[in-house]
Each structure stands twice: as structure tokens, then as C-alpha cells.
Amino acid sequence: MEAWATYRTTSASEWTPRRLVRAKGDSRVSVVLPAHNEEATVGAIVSTIREHLMDRVALVDELIVVDSRSTDRTARVARAAGAEVVGQDEMTRGLPRLTGKGDALWAGLAAADGDVVAFIDADLREFRPHFVTGLLGPLLTDPSVEFVKGFYHRPLVGATSVEADGGGRVTELMARPLLNLFWPELAGFVQPLAGEYAGRRGVLERVPFVSGYGVETAMLIDLLDLVGLDALAQVDLGERKHRHQDTAALGRMSAQIMLTAWSRLQRRGWASPGTAPAALLTQFRRGGSDALPNLEREIVVSDVSVEERPPLAELRHRLPRRRVAA
């Protein structure tokens, strides 16, 4: 793990846009932002990418925002800032309807035509161009790299204090122990759940996309099996600022990641075939009109089941010929 981390870890500061323009040659680069109700942040991200990586230098050829059934002005803001906006449902028309981030990512990959595709979360604040150039650097300069994962410091801002690296709670409490137990080859990834990553189209089209919050976990495990650890890399992107979810939401996220891991364990024969864990998560909410006697809490039951889109390469012939704007 230490050998791999030393060999396959770089810093975003190593890659300037102009250097990468020279390195990319005839390759096309797409950047995809999955977005659900992100009107507050998506415009600034799109504007920054367009100004610094499309207008000043021709590094990014295509900038796509996937509107994941937003009920706010996400699509309008993204389009006004200069992105091409596609609807998640339009890109998956004729296929079973799935929900969650993973399906939006799959739709974005289907919409993009770049040889290299970078995915960026749409809720980032104080976004800088190096979030894109850092991910592209290893892919455009080293043909042996197939996939790059970002990592960063994630400050957790509380009412009276800031914890410099307190933002990765699900990673540290659940995802990292899980990967270390069953996929120790992946232990060198600083942030396996990071939402910023990039890969070569030919590889990304060959792995399934889990519909919910398990997508990042599944992608790492599946890519490890597909191309091997040496083809995977990571890059330090500095500091990432974004909104944080409450503890109950993180619990639901964790449950989806555990279900995703279970499906991969079954494929390896490490979990009982033909069986599946329960997909209902019971949580408790303090107070409320439906609080039970003696508990002083409501019981909240959530469906945390996950589904998968098959590899894009298997379904390309069933997709709409034209992208339809949201």
C-alpha cells in the first residue's frame, strides 16, 4: 500500500492548464457535474471551468451538468453560466427509472463524448480550476493510468469551531474499515468516497454504476478487478468546502455503501449467494407529533436499497440519439 501510494499519488499543483493542453493532443476532455437542487453553487463552478479551462485555454472540450430532477433553478443557472444541461431522465429514457447520484453520473457519461471524463460534485464552494486539472494531469501525461481519484482536507464547520479534517465521517467510521477488511489493496486511497474523479471513457463504460451513495465504493472495487491497482491513481486537491449532511442522512448513506459492498462480496463468493441483507433502515427522530410513548421519539424507516445501471457499453444502442436539454 505504501509503495503504491508513493508511486501513484500526485498533487494538483504539478499540473498547469497549458501543460495539459500540450499533453492532451487530439484527445477530447469532458467534465460532468451531477446536480440535484444546487442552484446556489453550480453557477460559480461552471463559470470557473468555462473561463479558466475553456475560454483562456482549450483544455476542457465539453462541460455538462446533469439535472437530476431538481425542483429549483439548477438547470437555468447552469445553462446561463455556460454549461450544456441534460436531464437525467432524458438520457435514460426507455430504461428502468433509478434514483440517486450514481444514475446521474451514468447519464452524464452517456451524454459526454470525451475520451477522458472528469466528474465534479456540484455543491462545492470556493471552487478552483485545479480541481479539474489535478484529476486530468495523470491521465493526460501517463498512458498507464486509467482512473484518478481526488482527495483533500474537508473542514467541518461547527457553531463555535472548525475541525480541519472532520468532514469525512462516513469514510472514517465505515468505508475505510470496510475496505481495509475486504479490499486491503484499496487502503492507500485517502478518500475513497470523494466525489471528484476522472477516467478514460473506455474503462468507465465497462463498469456498472450503483444508483445511490454506493457508487464511489462500487467503482473503486470494480475498477480494481477490471484494470488492477497499478492503473489507479490519486491526487491531492487541497481543501474542499461544501455543505454537510446531518447524522441521520450519513447513516442512510452508510447503509447504502454496506449494501453495495455486500453485492461485491457475493461476486467474490465471500457472502452467501442468492441472499441479500434487509434494505430497510430504522432510525429515531427526537420529539415530533408521532413520538411513541416512553421513547419520546418518532420511528423513521427508510428504504436504503441500491440498484445498478449495467455498464454503459452494454446499453449504448438503447440510448437516445440526441441529448435533450432539461
Side-chain angles (χ1 to χ4, degrees), residues 111-141:
D113 64 9
D115 304 295
V116 173
V117 181
F119 297 101
I120 304 291
D121 279 348
D123 65 343
L124 304 187
R125 295 183 286 110
E126 300 180 23
F127 178 83
R128 298 292 182 267
H130 73 268
F131 268 67
V132 176
T133 55
L135 296 172
L136 296 178
L139 290 163
L140 296 180
T141 61

PDB file of all heavy atoms in Angstrom, residues 111-141:
ATOM      1  N   ALA A 111     -24.027  11.044 -21.873  1.00  0.00           N
ATOM      2  CA  ALA A 111     -24.160  12.286 -22.634  1.00  0.00           C
ATOM      3  C   ALA A 111     -22.832  12.799 -23.155  1.00  0.00           C
ATOM      4  O   ALA A 111     -22.765  13.451 -24.198  1.00  0.00           O
ATOM      5  CB  ALA A 111     -24.808  13.356 -21.746  1.00  0.00           C
ATOM      6  N   ALA A 112     -21.764  12.527 -22.449  1.00  0.00           N
ATOM      7  CA  ALA A 112     -20.448  13.066 -22.803  1.00  0.00           C
ATOM      8  C   ALA A 112     -19.836  12.298 -23.967  1.00  0.00           C
ATOM      9  O   ALA A 112     -20.126  11.121 -24.178  1.00  0.00           O
ATOM     10  CB  ALA A 112     -19.519  13.002 -21.591  1.00  0.00           C
ATOM     11  N   ASP A 113     -18.949  12.974 -24.698  1.00  0.00           N
ATOM     12  CA  ASP A 113     -18.259  12.286 -25.787  1.00  0.00           C
ATOM     13  C   ASP A 113     -16.737  12.365 -25.654  1.00  0.00           C
ATOM     14  O   ASP A 113     -16.008  12.038 -26.587  1.00  0.00           O
ATOM     15  CB  ASP A 113     -18.697  12.834 -27.144  1.00  0.00           C
ATOM     16  CG  ASP A 113     -18.317  14.301 -27.360  1.00  0.00           C
ATOM     17  OD1 ASP A 113     -17.561  14.853 -26.525  1.00  0.00           O
ATOM     18  OD2 ASP A 113     -18.763  14.877 -28.365  1.00  0.00           O
ATOM     19  N   GLY A 114     -16.232  12.808 -24.505  1.00  0.00           N
ATOM     20  CA  GLY A 114     -14.792  12.924 -24.314  1.00  0.00           C
ATOM     21  C   GLY A 114     -14.095  11.584 -24.190  1.00  0.00           C
ATOM     22  O   GLY A 114     -14.688  10.591 -23.750  1.00  0.00           O
ATOM     23  N   ASP A 115     -12.833  11.565 -24.582  1.00  0.00           N
ATOM     24  CA  ASP A 115     -12.002  10.376 -24.373  1.00  0.00           C
ATOM     25  C   ASP A 115     -11.651  10.234 -22.891  1.00  0.00           C
ATOM     26  O   ASP A 115     -11.430   9.131 -22.404  1.00  0.00           O
ATOM     27  CB  ASP A 115     -10.714  10.495 -25.187  1.00  0.00           C
ATOM     28  CG  ASP A 115     -10.981  10.708 -26.666  1.00  0.00           C
ATOM     29  OD1 ASP A 115     -11.542   9.797 -27.296  1.00  0.00           O
ATOM     30  OD2 ASP A 115     -10.647  11.796 -27.172  1.00  0.00           O
ATOM     31  N   VAL A 116     -11.568  11.362 -22.207  1.00  0.00           N
ATOM     32  CA  VAL A 116     -11.356  11.415 -20.763  1.00  0.00           C
ATOM     33  C   VAL A 116     -12.531  12.166 -20.157  1.00  0.00           C
ATOM     34  O   VAL A 116     -12.919  13.236 -20.652  1.00  0.00           O
ATOM     35  CB  VAL A 116     -10.034  12.120 -20.416  1.00  0.00           C
ATOM     36  CG1 VAL A 116      -9.903  12.318 -18.908  1.00  0.00           C
ATOM     37  CG2 VAL A 116      -8.844  11.322 -20.943  1.00  0.00           C
ATOM     38  N   VAL A 117     -13.112  11.616 -19.094  1.00  0.00           N
ATOM     39  CA  VAL A 117     -14.292  12.224 -18.473  1.00  0.00           C
ATOM     40  C   VAL A 117     -13.999  12.453 -16.996  1.00  0.00           C
ATOM     41  O   VAL A 117     -13.598  11.525 -16.285  1.00  0.00           O
ATOM     42  CB  VAL A 117     -15.538  11.333 -18.625  1.00  0.00           C
ATOM     43  CG1 VAL A 117     -16.757  12.009 -17.990  1.00  0.00           C
ATOM     44  CG2 VAL A 117     -15.808  11.037 -20.097  1.00  0.00           C
ATOM     45  N   ALA A 118     -14.181  13.694 -16.556  1.00  0.00           N
ATOM     46  CA  ALA A 118     -13.993  14.048 -15.150  1.00  0.00           C
ATOM     47  C   ALA A 118     -15.345  14.362 -14.526  1.00  0.00           C
ATOM     48  O   ALA A 118     -16.176  15.051 -15.136  1.00  0.00           O
ATOM     49  CB  ALA A 118     -13.066  15.257 -15.016  1.00  0.00           C
ATOM     50  N   PHE A 119     -15.558  13.867 -13.311  1.00  0.00           N
ATOM     51  CA  PHE A 119     -16.792  14.120 -12.575  1.00  0.00           C
ATOM     52  C   PHE A 119     -16.487  15.032 -11.394  1.00  0.00           C
ATOM     53  O   PHE A 119     -15.560  14.794 -10.623  1.00  0.00           O
ATOM     54  CB  PHE A 119     -17.392  12.808 -12.061  1.00  0.00           C
ATOM     55  CG  PHE A 119     -17.806  11.854 -13.140  1.00  0.00           C
ATOM     56  CD1 PHE A 119     -17.007  10.766 -13.474  1.00  0.00           C
ATOM     57  CD2 PHE A 119     -18.988  12.038 -13.833  1.00  0.00           C
ATOM     58  CE1 PHE A 119     -17.377   9.886 -14.471  1.00  0.00           C
ATOM     59  CE2 PHE A 119     -19.388  11.160 -14.834  1.00  0.00           C
ATOM     60  CZ  PHE A 119     -18.570  10.077 -15.153  1.00  0.00           C
ATOM     61  N   ILE A 120     -17.296  16.083 -11.252  1.00  0.00           N
ATOM     62  CA  ILE A 120     -17.134  17.066 -10.182  1.00  0.00           C
ATOM     63  C   ILE A 120     -18.473  17.241  -9.476  1.00  0.00           C
ATOM     64  O   ILE A 120     -19.502  17.464 -10.129  1.00  0.00           O
ATOM     65  CB  ILE A 120     -16.674  18.432 -10.735  1.00  0.00           C
ATOM     66  CG1 ILE A 120     -15.373  18.297 -11.546  1.00  0.00           C
ATOM     67  CG2 ILE A 120     -16.521  19.447  -9.607  1.00  0.00           C
ATOM     68  CD1 ILE A 120     -14.158  17.957 -10.729  1.00  0.00           C
ATOM     69  N   ASP A 121     -18.502  17.173  -8.155  1.00  0.00           N
ATOM     70  CA  ASP A 121     -19.738  17.438  -7.417  1.00  0.00           C
ATOM     71  C   ASP A 121     -20.154  18.893  -7.603  1.00  0.00           C
ATOM     72  O   ASP A 121     -19.304  19.790  -7.710  1.00  0.00           O
ATOM     73  CB  ASP A 121     -19.561  17.133  -5.934  1.00  0.00           C
ATOM     74  CG  ASP A 121     -19.706  15.652  -5.627  1.00  0.00           C
ATOM     75  OD1 ASP A 121     -20.155  14.904  -6.514  1.00  0.00           O
ATOM     76  OD2 ASP A 121     -19.380  15.242  -4.498  1.00  0.00           O
ATOM     77  N   ALA A 122     -21.463  19.138  -7.614  1.00  0.00           N
ATOM     78  CA  ALA A 122     -21.978  20.472  -7.908  1.00  0.00           C
ATOM     79  C   ALA A 122     -22.256  21.301  -6.669  1.00  0.00           C
ATOM     80  O   ALA A 122     -22.793  22.413  -6.785  1.00  0.00           O
ATOM     81  CB  ALA A 122     -23.261  20.363  -8.746  1.00  0.00           C
ATOM     82  N   ASP A 123     -21.872  20.815  -5.482  1.00  0.00           N
ATOM     83  CA  ASP A 123     -22.157  21.564  -4.255  1.00  0.00           C
ATOM     84  C   ASP A 123     -20.902  22.205  -3.654  1.00  0.00           C
ATOM     85  O   ASP A 123     -20.927  22.670  -2.511  1.00  0.00           O
ATOM     86  CB  ASP A 123     -22.820  20.663  -3.208  1.00  0.00           C
ATOM     87  CG  ASP A 123     -21.898  19.550  -2.720  1.00  0.00           C
ATOM     88  OD1 ASP A 123     -20.891  19.266  -3.399  1.00  0.00           O
ATOM     89  OD2 ASP A 123     -22.183  18.959  -1.665  1.00  0.00           O
ATOM     90  N   LEU A 124     -19.814  22.255  -4.418  1.00  0.00           N
ATOM     91  CA  LEU A 124     -18.565  22.801  -3.888  1.00  0.00           C
ATOM     92  C   LEU A 124     -18.630  24.320  -3.778  1.00  0.00           C
ATOM     93  O   LEU A 124     -19.157  25.002  -4.659  1.00  0.00           O
ATOM     94  CB  LEU A 124     -17.382  22.418  -4.782  1.00  0.00           C
ATOM     95  CG  LEU A 124     -17.163  20.922  -5.040  1.00  0.00           C
ATOM     96  CD1 LEU A 124     -15.863  20.702  -5.796  1.00  0.00           C
ATOM     97  CD2 LEU A 124     -17.157  20.141  -3.737  1.00  0.00           C
ATOM     98  N   ARG A 125     -18.057  24.837  -2.707  1.00  0.00           N
ATOM     99  CA  ARG A 125     -17.920  26.274  -2.531  1.00  0.00           C
ATOM    100  C   ARG A 125     -16.452  26.657  -2.693  1.00  0.00           C
ATOM    101  O   ARG A 125     -15.559  25.872  -2.442  1.00  0.00           O
ATOM    102  CB  ARG A 125     -18.434  26.692  -1.140  1.00  0.00           C
ATOM    103  CG  ARG A 125     -19.936  26.467  -0.964  1.00  0.00           C
ATOM    104  CD  ARG A 125     -20.417  26.956   0.398  1.00  0.00           C
ATOM    105  NE  ARG A 125     -20.008  26.047   1.481  1.00  0.00           N
ATOM    106  CZ  ARG A 125     -19.095  26.349   2.383  1.00  0.00           C
ATOM    107  NH1 ARG A 125     -18.464  27.523   2.352  1.00  0.00           N
ATOM    108  NH2 ARG A 125     -18.796  25.490   3.338  1.00  0.00           N
ATOM    109  N   GLU A 126     -16.222  27.879  -3.128  1.00  0.00           N
ATOM    110  CA  GLU A 126     -14.867  28.379  -3.373  1.00  0.00           C
ATOM    111  C   GLU A 126     -14.119  27.453  -4.332  1.00  0.00           C
ATOM    112  O   GLU A 126     -12.939  27.115  -4.145  1.00  0.00           O
ATOM    113  CB  GLU A 126     -14.107  28.541  -2.050  1.00  0.00           C
ATOM    114  CG  GLU A 126     -14.788  29.513  -1.094  1.00  0.00           C
ATOM    115  CD  GLU A 126     -14.026  29.661   0.225  1.00  0.00           C
ATOM    116  OE1 GLU A 126     -12.810  29.389   0.237  1.00  0.00           O
ATOM    117  OE2 GLU A 126     -14.653  30.054   1.223  1.00  0.00           O
ATOM    118  N   PHE A 127     -14.801  27.050  -5.376  1.00  0.00           N
ATOM    119  CA  PHE A 127     -14.243  26.123  -6.365  1.00  0.00           C
ATOM    120  C   PHE A 127     -13.118  26.789  -7.144  1.00  0.00           C
ATOM    121  O   PHE A 127     -13.198  27.954  -7.509  1.00  0.00           O
ATOM    122  CB  PHE A 127     -15.348  25.677  -7.328  1.00  0.00           C
ATOM    123  CG  PHE A 127     -14.881  24.762  -8.420  1.00  0.00           C
ATOM    124  CD1 PHE A 127     -14.755  23.403  -8.189  1.00  0.00           C
ATOM    125  CD2 PHE A 127     -14.566  25.261  -9.680  1.00  0.00           C
ATOM    126  CE1 PHE A 127     -14.324  22.554  -9.198  1.00  0.00           C
ATOM    127  CE2 PHE A 127     -14.130  24.431 -10.679  1.00  0.00           C
ATOM    128  CZ  PHE A 127     -14.004  23.069 -10.438  1.00  0.00           C
ATOM    129  N   ARG A 128     -12.059  26.003  -7.436  1.00  0.00           N
ATOM    130  CA  ARG A 128     -10.920  26.486  -8.202  1.00  0.00           C
ATOM    131  C   ARG A 128     -10.618  25.526  -9.359  1.00  0.00           C
ATOM    132  O   ARG A 128     -10.908  24.322  -9.270  1.00  0.00           O
ATOM    133  CB  ARG A 128      -9.683  26.623  -7.306  1.00  0.00           C
ATOM    134  CG  ARG A 128      -9.846  27.628  -6.170  1.00  0.00           C
ATOM    135  CD  ARG A 128      -9.932  29.065  -6.698  1.00  0.00           C
ATOM    136  NE  ARG A 128     -10.037  30.035  -5.618  1.00  0.00           N
ATOM    137  CZ  ARG A 128     -11.172  30.497  -5.127  1.00  0.00           C
ATOM    138  NH1 ARG A 128     -12.336  30.069  -5.627  1.00  0.00           N
ATOM    139  NH2 ARG A 128     -11.177  31.370  -4.144  1.00  0.00           N
ATOM    140  N   PRO A 129     -10.003  26.038 -10.429  1.00  0.00           N
ATOM    141  CA  PRO A 129      -9.749  25.195 -11.618  1.00  0.00           C
ATOM    142  C   PRO A 129      -8.886  23.977 -11.345  1.00  0.00           C
ATOM    143  O   PRO A 129      -8.967  22.979 -12.071  1.00  0.00           O
ATOM    144  CB  PRO A 129      -9.050  26.155 -12.589  1.00  0.00           C
ATOM    145  CG  PRO A 129      -9.428  27.517 -12.146  1.00  0.00           C
ATOM    146  CD  PRO A 129      -9.611  27.447 -10.661  1.00  0.00           C
ATOM    147  N   HIS A 130      -8.054  24.019 -10.298  1.00  0.00           N
ATOM    148  CA  HIS A 130      -7.156  22.891 -10.060  1.00  0.00           C
ATOM    149  C   HIS A 130      -7.909  21.617  -9.675  1.00  0.00           C
ATOM    150  O   HIS A 130      -7.344  20.524  -9.734  1.00  0.00           O
ATOM    151  CB  HIS A 130      -6.120  23.240  -8.971  1.00  0.00           C
ATOM    152  CG  HIS A 130      -6.679  23.299  -7.591  1.00  0.00           C
ATOM    153  ND1 HIS A 130      -7.155  24.463  -7.023  1.00  0.00           N
ATOM    154  CD2 HIS A 130      -6.836  22.333  -6.649  1.00  0.00           C
ATOM    155  CE1 HIS A 130      -7.582  24.207  -5.802  1.00  0.00           C
ATOM    156  NE2 HIS A 130      -7.393  22.928  -5.538  1.00  0.00           N
ATOM    157  N   PHE A 131      -9.181  21.741  -9.286  1.00  0.00           N
ATOM    158  CA  PHE A 131      -9.962  20.542  -9.030  1.00  0.00           C
ATOM    159  C   PHE A 131     -10.113  19.716 -10.303  1.00  0.00           C
ATOM    160  O   PHE A 131     -10.219  18.493 -10.252  1.00  0.00           O
ATOM    161  CB  PHE A 131     -11.346  20.917  -8.478  1.00  0.00           C
ATOM    162  CG  PHE A 131     -11.397  20.969  -6.983  1.00  0.00           C
ATOM    163  CD1 PHE A 131     -10.693  21.934  -6.282  1.00  0.00           C
ATOM    164  CD2 PHE A 131     -12.120  20.048  -6.264  1.00  0.00           C
ATOM    165  CE1 PHE A 131     -10.722  21.989  -4.904  1.00  0.00           C
ATOM    166  CE2 PHE A 131     -12.163  20.082  -4.878  1.00  0.00           C
ATOM    167  CZ  PHE A 131     -11.453  21.059  -4.195  1.00  0.00           C
ATOM    168  N   VAL A 132     -10.130  20.377 -11.438  1.00  0.00           N
ATOM    169  CA  VAL A 132     -10.212  19.680 -12.723  1.00  0.00           C
ATOM    170  C   VAL A 132      -8.825  19.316 -13.233  1.00  0.00           C
ATOM    171  O   VAL A 132      -8.572  18.166 -13.612  1.00  0.00           O
ATOM    172  CB  VAL A 132     -10.960  20.533 -13.763  1.00  0.00           C
ATOM    173  CG1 VAL A 132     -10.953  19.841 -15.128  1.00  0.00           C
ATOM    174  CG2 VAL A 132     -12.391  20.801 -13.314  1.00  0.00           C
ATOM    175  N   THR A 133      -7.901  20.268 -13.251  1.00  0.00           N
ATOM    176  CA  THR A 133      -6.578  19.991 -13.801  1.00  0.00           C
ATOM    177  C   THR A 133      -5.846  18.914 -13.005  1.00  0.00           C
ATOM    178  O   THR A 133      -5.099  18.103 -13.571  1.00  0.00           O
ATOM    179  CB  THR A 133      -5.729  21.274 -13.856  1.00  0.00           C
ATOM    180  OG1 THR A 133      -5.678  21.870 -12.549  1.00  0.00           O
ATOM    181  CG2 THR A 133      -6.339  22.281 -14.821  1.00  0.00           C
ATOM    182  N   GLY A 134      -6.061  18.895 -11.680  1.00  0.00           N
ATOM    183  CA  GLY A 134      -5.417  17.864 -10.877  1.00  0.00           C
ATOM    184  C   GLY A 134      -5.862  16.468 -11.269  1.00  0.00           C
ATOM    185  O   GLY A 134      -5.046  15.532 -11.328  1.00  0.00           O
ATOM    186  N   LEU A 135      -7.158  16.305 -11.545  1.00  0.00           N
ATOM    187  CA  LEU A 135      -7.673  14.999 -11.949  1.00  0.00           C
ATOM    188  C   LEU A 135      -7.195  14.604 -13.340  1.00  0.00           C
ATOM    189  O   LEU A 135      -6.939  13.427 -13.619  1.00  0.00           O
ATOM    190  CB  LEU A 135      -9.207  15.010 -11.916  1.00  0.00           C
ATOM    191  CG  LEU A 135      -9.866  15.211 -10.560  1.00  0.00           C
ATOM    192  CD1 LEU A 135     -11.372  15.384 -10.724  1.00  0.00           C
ATOM    193  CD2 LEU A 135      -9.570  14.040  -9.623  1.00  0.00           C
ATOM    194  N   LEU A 136      -7.074  15.596 -14.225  1.00  0.00           N
ATOM    195  CA  LEU A 136      -6.703  15.303 -15.612  1.00  0.00           C
ATOM    196  C   LEU A 136      -5.210  15.033 -15.765  1.00  0.00           C
ATOM    197  O   LEU A 136      -4.809  14.290 -16.677  1.00  0.00           O
ATOM    198  CB  LEU A 136      -7.096  16.475 -16.514  1.00  0.00           C
ATOM    199  CG  LEU A 136      -8.586  16.789 -16.623  1.00  0.00           C
ATOM    200  CD1 LEU A 136      -8.802  18.010 -17.520  1.00  0.00           C
ATOM    201  CD2 LEU A 136      -9.357  15.589 -17.174  1.00  0.00           C
ATOM    202  N   GLY A 137      -4.385  15.613 -14.891  1.00  0.00           N
ATOM    203  CA  GLY A 137      -2.942  15.531 -15.059  1.00  0.00           C
ATOM    204  C   GLY A 137      -2.402  14.129 -15.272  1.00  0.00           C
ATOM    205  O   GLY A 137      -1.755  13.851 -16.301  1.00  0.00           O
ATOM    206  N   PRO A 138      -2.623  13.196 -14.349  1.00  0.00           N
ATOM    207  CA  PRO A 138      -2.079  11.845 -14.529  1.00  0.00           C
ATOM    208  C   PRO A 138      -2.621  11.152 -15.776  1.00  0.00           C
ATOM    209  O   PRO A 138      -1.895  10.399 -16.445  1.00  0.00           O
ATOM    210  CB  PRO A 138      -2.511  11.121 -13.256  1.00  0.00           C
ATOM    211  CG  PRO A 138      -2.699  12.207 -12.240  1.00  0.00           C
ATOM    212  CD  PRO A 138      -3.247  13.365 -13.020  1.00  0.00           C
ATOM    213  N   LEU A 139      -3.875  11.375 -16.113  1.00  0.00           N
ATOM    214  CA  LEU A 139      -4.472  10.708 -17.263  1.00  0.00           C
ATOM    215  C   LEU A 139      -3.902  11.214 -18.593  1.00  0.00           C
ATOM    216  O   LEU A 139      -3.714  10.439 -19.534  1.00  0.00           O
ATOM    217  CB  LEU A 139      -5.993  10.907 -17.255  1.00  0.00           C
ATOM    218  CG  LEU A 139      -6.748  10.153 -16.154  1.00  0.00           C
ATOM    219  CD1 LEU A 139      -8.140  10.738 -15.968  1.00  0.00           C
ATOM    220  CD2 LEU A 139      -6.841   8.668 -16.488  1.00  0.00           C
ATOM    221  N   LEU A 140      -3.619  12.514 -18.665  1.00  0.00           N
ATOM    222  CA  LEU A 140      -3.147  13.094 -19.921  1.00  0.00           C
ATOM    223  C   LEU A 140      -1.638  12.964 -20.099  1.00  0.00           C
ATOM    224  O   LEU A 140      -1.138  13.158 -21.212  1.00  0.00           O
ATOM    225  CB  LEU A 140      -3.549  14.571 -19.996  1.00  0.00           C
ATOM    226  CG  LEU A 140      -5.054  14.846 -20.041  1.00  0.00           C
ATOM    227  CD1 LEU A 140      -5.324  16.349 -20.111  1.00  0.00           C
ATOM    228  CD2 LEU A 140      -5.710  14.134 -21.227  1.00  0.00           C
ATOM    229  N   THR A 141      -0.926  12.632 -19.034  1.00  0.00           N
ATOM    230  CA  THR A 141       0.534  12.555 -19.137  1.00  0.00           C
ATOM    231  C   THR A 141       1.083  11.148 -18.945  1.00  0.00           C
ATOM    232  O   THR A 141       2.273  10.919 -19.201  1.00  0.00           O
ATOM    233  CB  THR A 141       1.198  13.478 -18.097  1.00  0.00           C
ATOM    234  OG1 THR A 141       0.812  13.069 -16.774  1.00  0.00           O
ATOM    235  CG2 THR A 141       0.785  14.932 -18.320  1.00  0.00           C
TER     236      THR A 141
END
